[in-house]
């Protein structure tokens, strides 16, 4: 190989990470952080006497989804990833939330689903065949490629967009709120 390509970036021993470590606890952490961000959004709206719909329907650009849809998709990415990698049917949640409270309930329901998936079902899922339809296309992955190249980036895209929508509208948030307890 090319010079330096085999060298690790750090001088410490290389560690491997399991699919269990890379899925359930990370998604739960991200969902809890998203819930905390939404709580601050609801509190900010109430403190300023704003109709919560102003924030819930906020968009960064007219052709982008509003806050409520960003949260729905983030939750869907988390539950979908864990279910698919565990070889389970993905639970279907209707996209009917219209309030901060309903979004919090969706996040909590998603966390509860993820926490009840037996970790042993995720072991070895890095090679599981994953097939799904998205954006009118059929996508085919192996588990690790799906998690790292599709599920995680989509989860973070929609979570970050939710954060950005609230921050753009004056909710006092910082990167620490997004990262939460790592």
């Amino acid at each position: 190989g090319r010079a330096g390509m085999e060298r690790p970036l750090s001088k410490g021993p290389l560690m491997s990470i399991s699919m269990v470590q890379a899925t359930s606890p990370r998604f739960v952490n991200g969902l809890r952080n998203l819930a905390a961000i939404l709580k601050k959004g609801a509190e900010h709206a109430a403190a300023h006497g704003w109709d919560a719909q102003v924030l819930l329907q906020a968009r960064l650009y007219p052709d982008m989804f509003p806050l409520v849809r960003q949260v729905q998709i983030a939750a869907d990415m988390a539950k979908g990833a864990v279910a698919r990698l565990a070889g389970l049917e993905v639970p279907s949640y209707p996209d009917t939330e219209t309030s901060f409270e309903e979004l919090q309930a969706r996040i909590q329901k998603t966390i509860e689903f993820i926490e009840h998936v037996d970790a042993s079902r995720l072991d070895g899922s890095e090679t599981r065949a994953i097939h799904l339809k998205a954006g009118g296309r059929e996508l085919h992955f192996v588990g690790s490629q799906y998690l790292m190249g599709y599920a995680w980036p989509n989860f973070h895209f929609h979570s970050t967009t939710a954060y950005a929508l609230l921050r753009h509208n004056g909710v006092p948030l910082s990167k620490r709120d997004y990262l939460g307890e790592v």
Side-chain angles (χ1 to χ4, degrees), residues 64-123:
M64 291 181 74
F65 289 129
L67 175 69
V68 67
R69 186 74 184 119
Q70 300 293 343
V71 174
Q72 291 166 341
I73 295 171
D76 287 351
M77 281 294 151
K79 72 178 167 66
V82 172
R84 287 183 185 98
L85 290 166
L88 301 170
E89 187 166 332
V90 179
S92 178
Y93 301 164
D95 297 327
T96 57
E97 293 83 9
T98 60
S99 68
F100 280 106
E101 294 81 14
E102 290 173 350
L103 288 175
Q104 292 288 3
R106 184 184 185 117
I107 290 170
Q108 187 56 42
K109 181 169 52 171
T110 304
I111 289 170
E112 289 169 8
F113 166 75
I114 291 170
E115 288 180 333
H116 284 93
V117 172
D118 189 329
S120 67
R121 296 189 67 100
L122 295 164
D123 275 334

Side-chain angles (χ1 to χ4, degrees), residues 116-170:
H116 284 93
V117 172
D118 189 329
S120 67
R121 296 189 67 100
L122 295 164
D123 275 334
S125 64
E126 58 272 8
T127 58
R128 174 167 281 141
I130 305 290
H131 308 286
L132 63 128
K133 291 182 181 184
R137 300 180 304 157
E138 288 198 25
L139 304 173
H140 306 281
F141 304 98
V142 295
S144 60
Q145 177 192 30
Y146 165 71
L147 177 63
M148 304 307 275
Y150 184 81
W152 267 119
N154 271 288
F155 177 80
H156 283 293
F157 175 87
H158 293 285
S159 296
T160 300
T161 302
Y163 168 93
L165 282 162
L166 291 173
R167 184 69 187 100
H168 176 74
N169 281 283

Side-chain angles (χ1 to χ4, degrees), residues 12-105:
L14 292 176
M15 290 180 40
S16 63
I17 184 167
S18 74
M19 290 296 280
V20 174
Q21 293 169 310
T23 53
S24 297
R26 303 302 350 128
F27 281 118
V28 167
N29 185 68
L31 288 165
R32 285 188 176 133
N33 296 346
L34 182 56
I37 287 166
L38 291 174
K39 182 176 187 268
K40 285 189 173 187
E43 290 169 350
H44 189 75
H48 287 81
W50 297 348
D51 178 352
Q53 292 303 311
V54 172
L55 292 179
L56 292 164
Q57 294 304 317
R59 300 170 187 257
L60 289 176
Y61 197 77
D63 69 350
M64 291 181 74
F65 289 129
L67 175 69
V68 67
R69 186 74 184 119
Q70 300 293 343
V71 174
Q72 291 166 341
I73 295 171
D76 287 351
M77 281 294 151
K79 72 178 167 66
V82 172
R84 287 183 185 98
L85 290 166
L88 301 170
E89 187 166 332
V90 179
S92 178
Y93 301 164
D95 297 327
T96 57
E97 293 83 9
T98 60
S99 68
F100 280 106
E101 294 81 14
E102 290 173 350
L103 288 175
Q104 292 288 3

